[in-house]
Amino acid sequence: MGILDRLRSLGKPQTEVKEKKVVLIGLDGTPYTLLKQFCADGTMPNLAKIAANSSLRQMDVSIPEVSSTSWTCFYTGMNPAQHGIFGFLDLQPNSYKIYFPNSKSVKAPALWDVLGNYGKRSVVINVPETYPAKPLNGALISGFVATDLKKATYPPELLPTLMELEYRLDPDAQKARESKDAFLADIYDVFEKRRKTILHLFDQEKWSLFIGTITETDRLHHFMWDALVDKNHPYHNGFLDFYRRVDGLIGEVYDRLDSNTTFMMCSDHGFTSIEQQVYLNYWLKDNGYLKFTSESPKSVEEIAPGTRAFAMDPTRIYINLKGKYPQGAVEPGEEYEHLRREIAEGLRAITYQGKPVIKKVFMKEEVFRGPLMQQAPDLIVLSNYGFDMKGSTNKQTLMDREIFTGMHTQDDAHFLINRKDINEKKPHICDIAPTIMKELGIVIPSDVTGVALT
Amino acid sequence: MSQKGFTLWFTGLSGAGKTTLAHIVEAEMRRRNLKIEILDGDVVRTNLSKGLGFSKEDRDTNIRRIGFVCHLLSRNGVAAISAAISPYREIRDEVRKMIGDFVEVYVHCPLEVCAKRDVKGLYAKAMSGEIPVFTGVSDPYEEPLNPEVLVDSSKETPEESAQKILKKLEELGYLPKTDEVYSEEEEEEVKRRLEELGYF
Ligand SMILES: Nc1ncnc2c1ncn2[C@@H]1O[C@H](COP(=O)(O)OP(=O)(O)OP(=O)(O)O)[C@@H](O)[C@H]1O
Ligand SMILES: [Mg+2]
């Protein structure tokens, strides 16, 4: 509070309206349909109670439906051609060299930066694609792919508290390959520490916006979705039990709210069962569009001259355009357009046991809009449920199965807000940031693509 | 911040490593969003200086022309890279004076090593007299007295030499420093964790 405000408030009666606040719990990869089921079958009683007086909606997310892209859409309200995060990896300009996009690659202001300009404090815990932690008005602990807790913590004075709480950045997914018991135990452990940290900072910090995100859900889904689907699965109850704990946390947070605080929940994508993993780079190679310099290339860094198109995880296809890449082989203009149409047509024809694998192939201008169009993939694929697209470069087959049992979905994320009167339209993840700004009484910047839902 | 133009001037014997280093350095400079043009001696002699020979006078003209183009590029915000033997000190210093933003890299390599490499088969011809004037063999090479960067390609790998040059350019403020987030080990960890989830 500035000195003028303080002087003004001296004369005011004590009944002045309290400042609005927003709390959001993020559940990475938790589908709308799953929460509906858990509300109905008693697995999540706290949520069921909250949902009865809230709007719980199915939500779309941007393509590609991966956490790095999606959460950045969430915290900027903008699409990837504005914020610049198209996936977990990308190529450096004018090269085939891979880099890992991170918080410093994000070209749009974060929600908490906008709030900071209005003097509002934010506490942000474990939102993916926020590493390394950048200074903000508030506190932030970075999410995936954070590697060093020190670089993941802002302000630095928060670090000793996190050490004391034994905060952990992420479960060890390697354990899933060793033993499901060890993996589950690890997930529970990380969650328990995260829960304690969320509640601690909730109580101890001052904030207008509080975001606590659980990413263990996504890890559980990737490796153990089969345990959810099959009621006789030895780990079925282990899976449900994790959600019982999540429900416990939701209850603990909700019980702390006062009447000035809006409560929200969201995920960055949904999940469904995998039938087959599908390798776009194999398809491109098999159809003569892609060449590598070795038999079993580790990544697209090993592209050979003459390549016309390549894919990056999960569903991004890039045309090897002259002038854009060092070994560009496709002329911009008619040749480029023709090739895009040809590849789209070819992809649409892929089937598995008579079923179409691909739901839709988009041209980049159909899904992206903004100053970073140049960086955007030229084609982007949306697959049908069951077909998990991968960017692997070393596969010698179009489809197979690996350890994973769950895959992301684009149209079944969830959004919850504890009021009934919201827009009829199906929410999109870009709508959340402007909704929060509106709740907090802040002018929504004009380049935000989402719209406030309230 | 808009880029400040400058000239990166390689000098050294044939086969010392000027072309090799120019291209490694170029790739990294592009990655950091610099505009770049390379003027390689071999290429220049097929167009800009076509018809010139290897007399002292012709060599001087050749270098002055390269220097002039570098000057034009540098003053327009481009990083101009010259990769020509440029054996005479006086002309190099003349070009330095004209350009101002001038970074000289002496690619040192003993004659025997260059001759042994004999990348283009020219040393064999020079030794047998088939090529009458050849720098280092039958024509002088005047080492720079005070180059901004000195690399020794007989002792360093190309990458090590390139690192020295890039570091100097950073120090001099011609090359933006990278704000690389992940160290090499961290990058390995990121890869591993993405791999575990099937993203890489
Ligand atoms: N540290 C180093 N820097 C540059 N080149 C090196 C180094 N170590 C070994 N080399 C090798 O030396 C050779 C240099 O050849 P290059 O064509 O670059 O020479 P040059 O100076 O451009 O010769 P010229 O004046 O004839 O064009 C290459 O084969 C390169 O691989
Ligand atoms: Mg050369």
Side-chain angles (χ1 to χ4, degrees), chain A residues 108-124:
Chain A
L111 172 60
W112 40 89
D113 294 331
V114 178
L115 299 195
N117 290 339
Y118 286 82
K120 294 189 186 292
R121 269 192 122 242
S122 303
V123 173
V124 181

Side-chain angles (χ1 to χ4, degrees), chain A residues 88-89 92 100 102 131-132 145-147 151 170 174 177 222-223 313 390 404 408, chain B residues 30-31 33 179 181-182 186-187 189-200:
Chain A
F88 279 114
L89 44 127
Q92 294 168 6
F100 299 104
N102 53 70
Y131 181 82
V145 185
T147 47
K151 282 201 263 178
D170 208 20
Q174 178 59 33
R177 292 162 204 270
H222 272 290
F223 294 100
D313 220 76
K390 298 275 179 198
F404 310 109
H408 296 186
Chain B
R30 278 207 198 283
R31 201 171 80 68
N33 293 319
D179 47 6
V181 164
Y182 298 112
E186 279 182 302
E187 203 163 289
E189 194 192 328
V190 170
K191 266 187 208 168
R192 184 179 60 72
R193 283 170 59 189
L194 290 175
E195 232 164 14
E196 277 167 1
L197 295 174
Y199 293 130
F200 188 74

Side-chain angles (χ1 to χ4, degrees), chain B residues 28-99:
Chain B
E28 180 58 24
M29 284 162 62
R30 278 207 198 283
R31 201 171 80 68
R32 301 198 207 170
N33 293 319
L34 295 198
K35 290 197 236 62
I36 301 156
E37 199 60 65
I38 295 186
L39 288 101
D40 194 281
D42 286 340
V43 182
V44 167
R45 280 186 173 275
T46 68
N47 43 61
L48 186 64
S49 294
K50 198 169 173 176
L52 292 183
F54 293 87
S55 67
K56 165 94 169 64
E57 202 188 343
D58 277 7
R59 282 186 190 269
D60 287 354
T61 306
N62 179 41
I63 296 306
R64 283 201 179 99
R65 286 183 188 174
I66 295 175
F68 181 64
V69 176
C70 287
H71 171 59
L72 297 182
L73 290 166
S74 298
R75 74 178 188 197
N76 282 290
V78 177
I81 303 180
S82 165
I85 299 174
S86 47
Y88 301 117
R89 192 177 297 137
E90 195 189 330
I91 306 297
R92 288 196 306 263
D93 288 345
E94 185 186 310
V95 173
R96 171 192 288 274
K97 248 203 208 121
M98 169 171 63
I99 296 177

Side-chain angles (χ1 to χ4, degrees), chain B residues 13-182:
Chain B
L13 295 175
S14 174
K18 301 178 294 297
T19 300
T20 306
L21 292 175
H23 284 101
I24 301 177
V25 169
E26 180 202 16
E28 180 58 24
M29 284 162 62
R30 278 207 198 283
R31 201 171 80 68
R32 301 198 207 170
N33 293 319
L34 295 198
K35 290 197 236 62
I36 301 156
E37 199 60 65
I38 295 186
L39 288 101
D40 194 281
D42 286 340
V43 182
V44 167
R45 280 186 173 275
T46 68
N47 43 61
L48 186 64
S49 294
K50 198 169 173 176
L52 292 183
F54 293 87
S55 67
K56 165 94 169 64
E57 202 188 343
D58 277 7
R59 282 186 190 269
D60 287 354
T61 306
N62 179 41
I63 296 306
R64 283 201 179 99
R65 286 183 188 174
I66 295 175
F68 181 64
V69 176
C70 287
H71 171 59
L72 297 182
L73 290 166
S74 298
R75 74 178 188 197
N76 282 290
V78 177
I81 303 180
S82 165
I85 299 174
S86 47
Y88 301 117
R89 192 177 297 137
E90 195 189 330
I91 306 297
R92 288 196 306 263
D93 288 345
E94 185 186 310
V95 173
R96 171 192 288 274
K97 248 203 208 121
M98 169 171 63
I99 296 177
D101 289 295
F102 187 87
V103 181
E104 191 173 22
V105 181
Y106 176 28
V107 186
H108 173 75
C109 186
L111 181 66
E112 312 79 69
V113 179
C114 291
K116 201 164 153 227
R117 281 181 190 158
D118 208 3
V119 184
K120 302 174 188 165
L122 297 175
Y123 281 94
K125 288 183 184 166
M127 309 279 191
S128 73
E130 196 182 319
I131 302 176
V133 281
F134 196 76
T135 302
V137 180
S138 43
D139 213 45
Y141 176 79
E142 300 171 4
E143 297 193 337
L145 299 177
N146 211 354
E148 275 76 7
V149 190
L150 169 67
V151 301
D152 185 341
S153 79
S154 67
K155 298 205 176 99
E156 300 157 9
T157 66
E159 282 68 31
E160 283 167 348
S161 304
Q163 279 312 319
K164 273 193 186 173
I165 300 165
L166 292 166
K167 201 167 151 257
K168 190 62 178 189
L169 292 177
E170 280 183 356
E171 269 170 39
L172 294 171
Y174 290 124
L175 183 67
K177 292 205 170 93
T178 47
D179 47 6
E180 228 102 276
V181 164
Y182 298 112

Side-chain angles (χ1 to χ4, degrees), chain A residues 40-189:
Chain A
D41 69 11
T43 305
M44 300 184 78
N46 290 322
L47 179 63
K49 220 161 53 195
I50 297 165
N53 296 308
S54 301
S55 306
L56 172 56
R57 295 282 188 82
Q58 191 172 46
M59 181 175 78
D60 284 330
V61 301
S62 292
I63 323 176
E65 60 276 32
V66 291
S67 296
S68 51
T69 304
S70 251
W71 284 112
T72 312
C73 292
F74 157 80
Y75 74 69
T76 60
M78 298 192 199
N79 88 86
Q82 293 174 290
H83 62 59
I85 307 298
F86 293 92
F88 279 114
L89 44 127
D90 216 320
L91 299 185
Q92 294 168 6
N94 213 291
S95 82
Y96 302 105
K97 228 178 145 337
I98 283 172
Y99 79 99
F100 299 104
N102 53 70
S103 65
K104 293 193 175 174
S105 328
V106 178
K107 301 289 191 304
L111 172 60
W112 40 89
D113 294 331
V114 178
L115 299 195
N117 290 339
Y118 286 82
K120 294 189 186 292
R121 269 192 122 242
S122 303
V123 173
V124 181
I125 302 166
N126 195 36
V127 174
E129 211 57 24
T130 60
Y131 181 82
K134 294 192 289 190
L136 74 160
N137 182 8
L140 184 143
I141 310 168
S142 309
F144 196 67
V145 185
T147 47
D148 175 358
L149 185 59
K150 193 162 164 238
K151 282 201 263 178
T153 305
Y154 184 89
E157 299 81 67
L158 183 59
L159 191 60
T161 310
L162 296 184
M163 309 278 266
E164 213 165 289
L165 290 160
E166 297 177 87
Y167 184 82
R168 287 180 59 193
L169 289 165
D170 208 20
D172 179 5
Q174 178 59 33
K175 289 212 159 71
R177 292 162 204 270
E178 291 157 11
S179 125
K180 291 288 185 301
D181 281 319
F183 178 60
L184 262 184
D186 200 51
I187 281 188
Y188 286 167
D189 182 59

Side-chain angles (χ1 to χ4, degrees), chain A residues 1-10:
Chain A
M1 218 169 20
I3 224 166
L4 270 177
D5 294 330
R6 228 175 295 162
L7 286 174
R8 273 192 213 113
S9 66
L10 277 179

